[in-house]
C-alpha cells in the first residue's frame, strides 16, 4: 500500500484563529529561518521577547531571523584566553587539565569578581546574531497590539508558505510569507484593503546583540554597530558591521526605501507590497529573486522534501493517541528540516531564538539530526558533517593536550570549535561516538557503502583513536572509562565516576564499528581498538538490573535515564542482557522523577523498549503526559518556558524513535527486525533504509 503523502501532511497544517505567542510558526531552509507572529511578519517581536513575556507572566517564544553562519564575538579588551579557564584534575593517569573554571549560574560581574571573567567570556561567546527584524507599520508607527485582530493563519506544510489574515484599524490585510529553499532569502506579499492604501509599510531594523545566555537583540546601543545603505539598480543594499562580524543584506520589490542608521522603511509603490530580502556573509553576484519566484520555489522545494525519504501513515489506527503521534511526526519533520539541517550543528532552540548564547552542543547533535539518514534523507545530515572536518585540528589538539591520541570532540561550541568552560560540559564523553554513529547511519543506508567509508574514514579513525586511548586497562583483559568523566546523566561527580553504562556500551559499539569499516576496506585493524572493545563490559548488578554507573554500582532516579540508551540509542552488539535491561526499563518507568527528565529522554526510553520487543512501552513513553514531553500546536517540543521555550532534540529524538519503531532495524546477524505493534495500532510505513 502506497502512502498518500500529501494527504498525511495536509491534515496536520498549523492553523490559528488569532495570535499564539507560545507557538509561532517559522519558515526556513535549514541554513536560514524566520519566525513570525499573526501578521505573517515580526510586527510584535518586542512583545514576544522573554523579558516582556516574563513581565506579563505569559508564555511566548521570541521571533528570530537567524542563519547558521551568523555569529558574533563580543569584544575581549582584557585579552582572555581559554587557558585562563583551565583547572587540574587528578586521574588514574596523573594530572590532566580541563577548561572548567566557570560556574554557569554566575553573572559577568560575579565571574569577574571571583577571578573567572575568562570563563564568562568563553561561556557566552560567540553569540548567534539577530540579523534583522521585519514587521508592519501603520501610518509610520508600529501598531498597538489591540489594533490588530487576527482572523486566521495557516502554515501550509506542503508548500512552506504561511498565509495570515487579520484586521488592522478595522480593515482586512492578507500576508503570505516564505523562504527560498536554496538561498537565505525571505519573501512576503502584503495585500491590504483599499481603505488602508498608503498607510501600511514594512519596517526593517537591525539590532546589536547581548553577551548572555539568551543573547537577545539589543536596540539601545546604536553606536556599537554600523549599517551602511547603498542602491544597486533595482536592489537596495545594506552592509552590516557588528564588532568583528560582517554580513550583507539586499532587498527588492514593489516599494521605495527610506530610513536612517539602523531602521529602514519599505513604502509600497503598488497596491500589493511584494518584497524579497536576502542575507549572506557576502551576497552573490546574480540578481536577487523576485518574491513570486521565492514563493514558487518554496512550494516546489517542500513538495520535493515530502516526496523523498520515508513516510508513515497512522490514519487507520484506532488506538488513542495515534492521530497525535502522527501530528508530532509530521511537524517534527518540518521543524527539524527548517532548523536542524544546515551547515553547522544547530543550537537547541534552532533558528527561532537563542539559548546558551546561540551556540550548539555536540552531544545534542545526534538528537537533532541523526534521524535524517534514518528517514532516508542522508544529505540533510551530511551538510553539517563537513564542519567536523573543519575543526579536526582543534579536536586533535585538545586530545593531545590531555595526553590522548586522535580527536576529542568538544561539547559546547560555536563555529570555531572552541570549548565553552563550565564544570560539566568539558568532562562529558558521550558526544565522542556520535561521529561514528553518523557515518555508520550514512553507510548502512547507502546502496554502496564503500564511497561513504572513503568519505568519512578519517573522522571515524581519529574518533576511534581517541576512544581507545581514553579507556584504561584493568585486570583480566578488562578496560574501563575512568574519571574525570561526567556521564550523560549529569548527577554524578566527575572526579569519582567510573564506567557509566551508556558510555561503556556506546564506546564499545563505536570501536567495533570502526574496526568493521577497516576490515571492509582491507585495512589493518588496530589491536588496541579490538582489545578495548572486548574489554569494555556492561555488567549486570547483583539485583539483576543494570545500574547507571557500574563502578561502584549506583543509580539516581532523576535527570536523564541514560542507562536505557545502552540498548536503543546504541545498537545491539550482544553485550547487553535483554532480560536484565527489560527489568531496568520497567523499574525506571516506575521510579523515575519525570519532572526532571528532558525532551529526548522519552524517545530514548522508546528506543530501548522497541529493541526489547515492547512496542506498548515505547508508545506510552512517546505519548506520556509530561511538561517536557508536550508538543505545541506548531510541533515544537516545549521545554522551559521563558528560558528554553522549545527543544529540538525532543523533535529529532521522536523521529529517531519512530524510525526504529515503524521502520525496524538490522540485528548483529544481519536480520531485519520490526517490533509487533499492540492492538489498535496499525501503520503503513515506506522508504525506511536499513539501519543498525
Amino acid at each position: 500500500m502506497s502512502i498518500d503523502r500529501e494527504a498525511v501532511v495536509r491534515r496536520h497544517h498549523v492553523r490559528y484563529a488569532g495570535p499564539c505567542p507560545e507557538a509561532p510558526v517559522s519558515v526556513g531552509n535549514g541554513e536560514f529561518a524566520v519566525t513570525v507572529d499573526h501578521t505573517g511578519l515580526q510586527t510584535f517581536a518586542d512583545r514576544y521577547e522573554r523579558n516582556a513575556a516574563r513581565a506579563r507572566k505569559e508564555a511566548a517564544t521570541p521571533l528570530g531571523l537567524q542563519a547558521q553562519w551568523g555569529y558574533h564575538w563580543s569584544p575581549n579588551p582584557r585579552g582572555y584566553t581559554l587557558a585562563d579557564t583551565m583547572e587540574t584534575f587528578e586521574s588514574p593517569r596523573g594530572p590532566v587539565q580541563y577548561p572548567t573554571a566557570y560556574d554557569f549560574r554566575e553573572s559577568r560581574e560575579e565571574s569577574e569578581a571571583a577571578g573567572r571573567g575568562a570563563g564568562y567570556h568563553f561561556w557566552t561567546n560567540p553569540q548567534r546574531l539577530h540579523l534583522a527584524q521585519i514587521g508592519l507599520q501603520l501610518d509610520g508607527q508600529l501598531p498597538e497590539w489591540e489594533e490588530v485582530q487576527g482572523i486566521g493563519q495557516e502554515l501550509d506544510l506542503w508548500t512552506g508558505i504561511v498565509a495570515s489574515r487579520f484586521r488592522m484599524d478595522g480593515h482586512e490585510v492578507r500576508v503570505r510569507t516564505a523562504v527560498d529553499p536554496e538561498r537565505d532569502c525571505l519573501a512576503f506579499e502584503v495585500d491590504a484593503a483599499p481603505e488602508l492604501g498608503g498607510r501600511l509599510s514594512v519596517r526593517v531594523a537591525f539590532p546589536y546583540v547581548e553577551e548572555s545566555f539568551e543573547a537577545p537583540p539589543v536596540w539601545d546601543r546604536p553606536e556599537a554597530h554600523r549599517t551602511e545603505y547603498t542602491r544597486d539598480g533595482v536592489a537596495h543594499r545594506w552592509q552590516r558591521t557588528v564588532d568583528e562580524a560582517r554580513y550583507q543584506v539586499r532587498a527588492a520589490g514593489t516599494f521605495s526605501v527610506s530610513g536612517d542608521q539602523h531602521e529602514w522603511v519599505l513604502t509600497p509603490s503598488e497596491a500589493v507590497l511584494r518584497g524579497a530580502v536576502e542575507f549572506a556573509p557576502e551576497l552573490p553576484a546574480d540578481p536577487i529573486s523576485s518574491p513570486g519566484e521565492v514563493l514558487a520555489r518554496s512550494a516546489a522545494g517542500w513538495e520535493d522534501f515530502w516526496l523523498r525519504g520515508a513516510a508513515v501513515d497512522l490514519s487507520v489506527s484506532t488506538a488513542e493517541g495515534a492521530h497525535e503521534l502522527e501530528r508530532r511526526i509530521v511537524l517534527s519533520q518540518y521543524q527539524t528540516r527548517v532548523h536542524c539541517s544546515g551547515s553547522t550543528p544547530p543550537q537547541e532552540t534552532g533558528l527561532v531564538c537563542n539559548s546558551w548564547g546561540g551556540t550548539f552542543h555536540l552531544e545534542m547533535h545526534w538528537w537533532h539530526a541523526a534521524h535524517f539518514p534514518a528517514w532516508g534523507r542522508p544529505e540533510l545530515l551530511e551538510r553539517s558533517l563537513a564542519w567536523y572536518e573543519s575543526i579536526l585540528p582543534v579536536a586533535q589538539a585538545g586530545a593531545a593536550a590531555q595526553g590522548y591520541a586522535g580527536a576529542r570532540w568538544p561539547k559546547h561550541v560555536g563555529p570555531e570549535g572552541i570549548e565553552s568552560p563550565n564544570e560539566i560540559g568539558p568532562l562529558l564523553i558521550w558526544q565522542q561516538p556520535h561521529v561514528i554513529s553518523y557515518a555508520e547511519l550514512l553507510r548502512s543506508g547507502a546502496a554502496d557503502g564503500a564511497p561513504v567509508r572513503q568519505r568519512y574514514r578519517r573522522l571515524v579513525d581519529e574518533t576511534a583513536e581517541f576512544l581507545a586511548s581514553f579507556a584504561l586497562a584493568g585486570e583480566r583483559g578488562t578496560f574501563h572509562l575512568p574519571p574525570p568523566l561526567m556521564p550523560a546523566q549529569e548527577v554524578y561527580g566527575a572526579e569519582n565516576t567510573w564506567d557509566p553504562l551508556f558510555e561503556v556500551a556506546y564506546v564499545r559499539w563505536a570501536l567495533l564499528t570502526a574496526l568493521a569499516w577497516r576490515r571492509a576496506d582491507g585495512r589493518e585493524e588496530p589491536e588496541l581498538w579490538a582489545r578495548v572493545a572486548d574489554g569494555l563490559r556492561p555488567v549486570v548488578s547483583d539485583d539483576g538490573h543494570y545500574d547507571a554507573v557500574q563502578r561502584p554500582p549506583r543509580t539516581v532516579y532523576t535527570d536523564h535515564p541514560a542507562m536505557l540508551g545502552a540498548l536503543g540509542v546504541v545498537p545491539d552488539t550482544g553485550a547487553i542482557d535483554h532480560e536484565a535491561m527489560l527489568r531496568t526499563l520497567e523499574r525506571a518507568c516506575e521510579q523515575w522523577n519525570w519532572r526532571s527528565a528532558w525532551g529526548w529522554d522519552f524517545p530514548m526510553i522508546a528506543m530501548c523498549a522497541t529493541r526489547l520487543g515492547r512496542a506498548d512501552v515505547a508508545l506510552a513513553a512517546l505519548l506520556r503526559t509530561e511538561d517536557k514531553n508536550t508538543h505545541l500546536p506548531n510541533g515544537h517540543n516545549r521545554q522551559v518556558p521563558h528560558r528554553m521555550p522549545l527543544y529540538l532534540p525532543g523533535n529529532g529524538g521522536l523521529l529517531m524513535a519512530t524510525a526504529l519503531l515503524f521502520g525496524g532495524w538490522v540485528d548483529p546477524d544481519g536480520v531485519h527486525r520490526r517490533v509487533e505493534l499492540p492492538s489498535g495500532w496499525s501503520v503503513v510505513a515506506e522508504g525506511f533504509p536499513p539501519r543498525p
Side-chain angles (χ1 to χ4, degrees), residues 8 66 79 84 102 136 157 178 180 221 226 450 529 557 651:
V8 172
Q66 298 188 324
D84 297 326
Y102 177 63
L136 291 173
L157 300 169
D180 192 292
R221 294 194 59 194
R226 190 166 70 249
W529 297 9
Y557 287 83
N651 296 97

Side-chain angles (χ1 to χ4, degrees), residues 220-232:
D220 60 357
R221 294 194 59 194
E223 78 290 347
H225 55 123
R226 190 166 70 249
T227 305
E228 300 170 86
Y229 168 79
T230 58
R231 179 74 183 269
D232 180 15

Side-chain angles (χ1 to χ4, degrees), residues 288-425:
I288 186 172
S289 301
S290 71
E293 290 170 334
V294 173
L295 289 161
R297 281 204 292 266
S298 174
W302 278 103
E303 180 177 354
D304 181 69
F305 169 80
W306 292 115
L307 291 176
R308 289 176 181 266
V312 166
D313 185 346
L314 292 170
S315 61
V316 295
S317 292
T318 58
E320 182 180 1
H323 180 81
E324 170 61 13
L325 183 58
E326 186 187 87
R327 183 188 77 89
R328 295 183 182 192
I329 289 170
V330 170
L331 287 170
S332 291
Q333 289 178 83
Y334 179 84
Q335 297 292 8
T336 55
R337 172 67 179 89
V338 167
H339 297 288
C340 304
S341 63
S343 58
T344 63
Q347 65 171 319
E348 291 178 325
T349 45
L351 298 168
V352 176
C353 60
N354 283 340
S355 56
W356 311 98
T359 47
F360 33 91
H361 295 211
L362 294 193
E363 90 281 18
M364 288 294 101
H365 190 198
W366 193 93
W367 296 95
H368 284 283
H371 66 87
F372 286 128
W375 279 76
R377 300 179 180 118
E379 70 284 355
L380 297 182
L381 171 63
E382 287 195 275
R383 290 180 177 184
S384 58
L385 294 192
W387 177 82
Y388 287 88
E389 295 172 321
S390 75
I391 70 152
L392 182 57
V394 177
Q396 290 170 321
Q402 295 172 350
Y404 303 119
R408 179 170 190 164
W409 305 105
K411 189 272 192 197
H412 171 192
V413 297
E416 299 87 353
I418 299 173
E419 183 70 271
S420 296
N422 69 91
E423 67 265 37
I424 292 176

Side-chain angles (χ1 to χ4, degrees), residues 12-200:
H12 300 293
H13 285 353
V14 181
R15 297 181 178 91
Y16 296 146
C20 190
E22 187 179 19
V25 294
S26 301
V27 289
N29 58 25
E31 193 72 5
F32 170 81
V34 184
T35 303
V36 301
D37 59 28
H38 58 294
T39 69
L41 293 169
Q42 300 173 320
T43 307
F44 297 108
D46 289 351
R47 184 183 177 93
Y48 283 61
E49 284 298 327
R50 292 175 173 97
N51 285 339
R54 287 186 188 111
R56 297 191 312 275
K57 297 182 180 180
E58 293 178 1
T61 296
L63 307 180
L65 192 157
Q66 298 188 324
Q68 302 289 11
W69 47 262
Y71 274 94
H72 161 265
W73 281 81
S74 294
N76 183 12
R78 301 191 184 188
Y80 292 131
T81 68
L82 196 63
D84 297 326
T85 72
M86 292 295 177
E87 292 183 318
T88 300
F89 290 76
E90 292 302 321
S91 80
R93 294 188 177 90
V96 60
Q97 287 196 322
Y98 288 85
T100 56
Y102 177 63
D103 181 342
F104 62 82
R105 291 170 288 271
E106 292 179 341
S107 67
R108 187 210 318 269
E109 293 74 21
E110 290 169 333
S111 298
E112 291 178 350
R116 291 190 287 266
Y120 185 89
H121 178 76
F122 284 100
W123 170 256
T124 57
N125 277 282
Q127 308 92 36
R128 197 183 299 265
L129 288 167
H130 303 271
L131 300 176
Q133 191 181 93
I134 302 177
L136 291 173
Q137 287 188 332
L138 180 65
D139 298 328
Q141 301 291 327
L142 291 175
E144 296 295 328
W145 179 262
E146 296 76 15
E147 287 185 281
V148 179
Q149 297 84 41
I151 298 174
Q153 184 177 65
E154 179 179 73
L155 167 59
D156 185 325
L157 300 169
W158 191 256
T159 65
I161 296 172
V162 175
S164 308
R165 295 175 59 215
F166 52 93
R167 291 187 179 278
M168 185 176 283
D169 198 23
H171 303 291
E172 185 169 334
V173 182
R174 298 172 181 257
V175 177
R176 292 205 302 160
T177 317
V179 161
D180 192 292
E182 303 295 335
R183 304 278 282 267
D184 297 346
C185 185
L186 168 71
F188 51 84
E189 293 182 344
V190 182
D191 187 0
E195 292 84 352
L196 288 174
R199 300 180 61 194
L200 269 184

